[in-house]
Amino acid sequence: RIQILFEMVTLKQTLLNNSKLPWILSIIAFVYCIVYFVQIYHNTDIVFNIVHPKPKTKVASFQTSTSIERNPPHEASFNKQDNLLSISTALPDVDSAVQQIKKKNLMFIKTHKCGTSTLVNVFYLYGVRHRSNFALQPYKHNINSNDIRGLLPPRPNGTYNIQCQHGVFNPSSEHKILPKATSLYTTIIRSPVSHFKSAFSFWGGDRNMIKKYGENITYEESMNKWLETYSGVSVGLTLNSASHDLGFAHYSFTGSLQQKIEAFIEHIDREMDLVMITDRMDESLVMLKEKLGWNLTDILYLKRMVARKPERKLKPLSNTTINRIMDRQIIDRQLFDYFNKKFDKHIDDYGRERFAKLVKDFQDVRLRFENKCFDKNRTIRGVMGTETWAFSEYASKNLVCVFLQSRDVQLTKAITQLQLTNDYTKELSNNKDIVFKDMFQKVQSDFMAGLPVFEEN
């Protein structure tokens, strides 16, 4: 620091003693130098750990036991004595590595019943491979952005890189966690009818109507009976769910309902760099990849459930019921219409033919990856009565398959342990021969060795 200040004073004297330079030019040059050296000063603090405030949380007492050294690359070893993974690498740490992308950090506002668990696993995999710091509530599935002090602390000398847990969007708090200047803000929404049907079944609406009116009630009748129990505009986990998660009820918009909706959409449009569409999942992931500067293999995902829908849910809904749902989904409907059109504009700006080819390439790679991970001739029981394909022999070698198929709740707990103490030895429920320690070690060491997520040979 003293040397920097000395150089600033010396440079000032050099500029001022040069009679060939006008005074005004000397002053401008000096101010520029001050700004430059202030930036160096702050970077020096970060690199040499001059200042590292301790978060005032219950988890602050945990010590990060990961040892990161500048040893020869591609070395990863497991210390059996203390059950901790010790990674040695010549690669730059996470902050330096992630700076290479256009916006190095990712703020993902997770909406309910929009395929977000699939996306979170993609983001978790990317973060574990790149040793990112996650902003999350320790061991919890949700995040309370109003209580920043309760967040899991990042590793020493680090800043948060990814947030992707459930939580109502609160920009004033989110900006403190991941500043917009260095972070890409994104979320995902779903077509209103499809979204309602999924939420209606998941949150027990259909089950409750069957209990009340008997087994002979049809799925469509069940929906209509449920909708009759609500009056006015409802914003919750079943009706206008996306608007609920994006914080509609927390803003003091004035005017009529329509004016409030328009103000809300404008607000979300200002905050989000990209609003993805569940009904266009592959396109959305490819567009996200382009905006972040990731690779195609960074956005690979696996379908989590393959069970067919019950017979009573297969019959198409009547136009009358569809219109009733659209009327009740008045906020989500307008939100979806606006951002679905804006997504088309993103594609137009990128170039439709060029983008279509990129999506096709991604779909081909993703399907080949899925066929390698699963034995599609066999299914197994999943959580909550679901079914999924059984893992293939290839999945025992490429643990990315297991990672992407794990429940995000399990991964959240394991990542909490990884970021706190690097102790994540719990067995995976869907494969008793593999523990999170093995899986995390494998995906990290493969990344350090320069191996892609998926190799066909």
Side-chain angles (χ1 to χ4, degrees):
R1 295 178 179 179
I2 295 174
Q3 181 182 0
I4 290 174
L5 293 174
F6 175 77
E7 290 175 353
M8 289 172 63
V9 173
T10 304
L11 181 59
K12 174 191 172 186
Q13 288 299 118
T14 302
L15 290 172
L16 294 181
N17 291 337
N18 190 338
S19 59
K20 295 181 181 180
L21 287 175
W23 271 89
I24 185 65
L25 182 59
S26 300
I27 294 173
I28 292 174
F30 180 57
V31 171
Y32 178 83
C33 291
I34 291 177
V35 174
Y36 178 75
F37 283 119
V38 165
Q39 290 176 340
I40 294 178
Y41 178 88
H42 286 297
N43 285 338
T44 303
D45 279 350
I46 294 173
V47 173
F48 294 103
N49 195 22
I50 293 173
V51 178
H52 180 60
K54 296 181 179 180
K56 298 178 180 179
T57 68
K58 295 181 180 179
V59 299
S61 59
F62 286 90
Q63 298 297 318
T64 305
S65 55
T66 306
S67 175
I68 303 300
E69 302 173 358
R70 294 298 178 260
N71 291 333
H74 311 158
E75 293 183 5
S77 60
F78 178 64
N79 188 336
K80 294 183 179 179
Q81 183 176 359
D82 56 7
N83 284 340
L84 300 180
L85 175 64
S86 178
I87 299 173
S88 300
T89 174
L91 295 175
D93 59 21
V94 61
D95 282 344
S96 300
V98 182
Q99 282 174 2
Q100 297 173 10
I101 63 180
K102 296 177 183 178
K103 278 196 172 183
K104 67 175 184 178
N105 301 323
L106 175 66
M107 171 64 76
F108 175 63
I109 306 304
K110 188 179 181 185
T111 48
H112 288 86
K113 308 312 299 173
C114 290
T116 50
S117 292
T118 298
L119 290 177
V120 165
N121 280 20
V122 171
F123 302 149
Y124 274 166
L125 176 61
Y126 183 89
V128 169
R129 278 169 60 84
H130 291 76
R131 301 190 62 258
S132 303
N133 286 311
F134 292 91
L136 49 81
Q137 304 284 149
Y139 305 105
K140 295 182 179 179
H141 192 43
N142 299 330
I143 188 168
N144 180 7
S145 58
N146 292 320
D147 183 18
I148 298 177
R149 294 177 301 174
L151 293 178
L152 178 69
R155 295 181 181 90
N157 305 331
T159 57
Y160 291 121
N161 304 115
I162 298 175
Q163 177 179 314
C164 56
Q165 284 186 297
H166 275 306
V168 176
F169 183 44
N170 182 354
S172 60
S173 296
E174 313 287 7
H175 293 170
K176 297 175 184 177
I177 300 171
L178 288 172
K180 281 183 65 66
T182 57
S183 308
L184 185 136
Y185 274 57
T186 185
T187 187
I188 189 166
I189 59 178
R190 187 173 180 176
S191 56
V193 175
S194 172
H195 197 176
F196 172 77
K197 289 170 67 177
S198 177
F200 174 70
S201 296
F202 185 84
W203 298 114
D206 185 38
R207 184 170 59 251
N208 291 335
M209 294 301 102
I210 291 175
K211 288 181 180 179
K212 186 173 182 179
Y213 295 101
E215 295 286 342
N216 293 329
I217 189 173
T218 68
Y219 186 55
E220 185 166 356
E221 289 172 341
S222 175
M223 279 187 180
N224 282 293
K225 290 291 186 183
W226 187 90
L227 288 169
E228 290 172 1
T229 62
Y230 288 86
S231 60
V233 178
S234 176
V235 179
L237 293 179
T238 306
L239 287 171
N240 298 297
S241 174
S243 299
H244 167 272
D245 292 333
L246 293 174
F248 177 83
H250 293 263
Y251 300 111
S252 301
F253 299 121
T254 59
S256 65
L257 175 61
Q258 184 57 37
Q259 290 173 325
K260 291 179 180 179
I261 294 174
E262 291 173 358
F264 171 65
I265 293 174
E266 290 177 4
H267 166 73
I268 297 301
D269 197 16
R270 286 193 302 270
E271 289 292 334
M272 296 295 158
D273 298 293
L274 174 68
V275 174
M276 297 182 285
I277 307 295
T278 304
D279 314 69
R280 307 167 70 172
M281 180 66 81
D282 290 347
E283 291 178 283
S284 294
L285 277 169
V286 170
M287 185 60 71
L288 180 69
K289 173 199 87 70
E290 287 300 293
K291 290 186 176 293
L292 283 170
W294 291 4
N295 299 317
L296 276 181
T297 53
D298 289 330
I299 56 172
L300 288 175
Y301 67 90
L302 295 175
K303 293 183 178 179
R304 300 167 64 89
M305 304 176 191
V306 297
R308 294 182 178 180
K309 293 182 179 180
E311 187 69 26
R312 64 190 299 273
K313 295 184 180 181
L314 295 177
K315 185 179 178 180
L317 299 177
S318 67
N319 289 334
T320 301
T321 300
I322 289 175
N323 290 335
R324 173 176 282 186
I325 294 172
M326 294 290 275
D327 288 342
R328 301 304 302 275
Q329 292 272 68
I330 183 172
I331 310 173
D332 274 13
R333 184 188 76 224
Q334 296 185 52
L335 186 75
F336 179 84
D337 289 344
Y338 178 86
F339 284 107
N340 194 38
K341 291 177 182 176
K342 182 160 186 180
F343 192 86
D344 283 327
K345 186 178 183 305
H346 283 301
I347 296 176
D348 290 336
D349 292 341
Y350 187 89
R352 284 201 167 267
E353 290 186 8
R354 178 179 164 217
F355 187 74
K357 183 182 183 305
L358 200 56
V359 172
K360 177 65 165 55
D361 291 342
F362 169 65
Q363 291 173 333
D364 290 343
V365 173
R366 199 205 70 79
L367 183 58
R368 292 197 300 270
F369 176 63
E370 182 177 275
N371 290 337
K372 293 276 283 186
C373 287
F374 293 127
D375 177 357
K376 292 188 175 180
N377 294 318
R378 296 187 299 124
T379 60
I380 58 175
R381 298 283 294 184
V383 297
M384 301 180 67
T386 61
E387 289 186 12
T388 185
W389 291 304
F391 282 124
S392 65
E393 184 178 346
Y394 171 83
S396 64
K397 302 174 182 177
N398 187 348
L399 295 185
V400 169
C401 301
V402 182
F403 191 109
L404 291 176
Q405 196 67 356
S406 300
R407 293 183 63 202
D408 57 330
V409 177
Q410 292 177 313
L411 291 174
T412 299
K413 293 179 180 178
I415 287 171
T416 296
Q417 284 296 99
L418 172 65
Q419 200 159 311
L420 282 174
T421 64
N422 218 30
D423 180 14
Y424 40 100
T425 56
K426 182 181 177 182
E427 293 179 343
L428 276 68
S429 60
N430 56 354
N431 194 325
K432 295 298 183 182
D433 296 326
I434 300 175
V435 296
F436 281 107
K437 161 183 61 63
D438 302 325
M439 184 168 66
F440 283 23
Q441 177 189 15
K442 185 68 167 61
V443 298
Q444 287 180 335
S445 60
D446 284 352
F447 171 70
M448 290 180 211
L451 297 178
V453 171
F454 170 52
E455 283 186 309
E456 296 193 65
N457 296 324

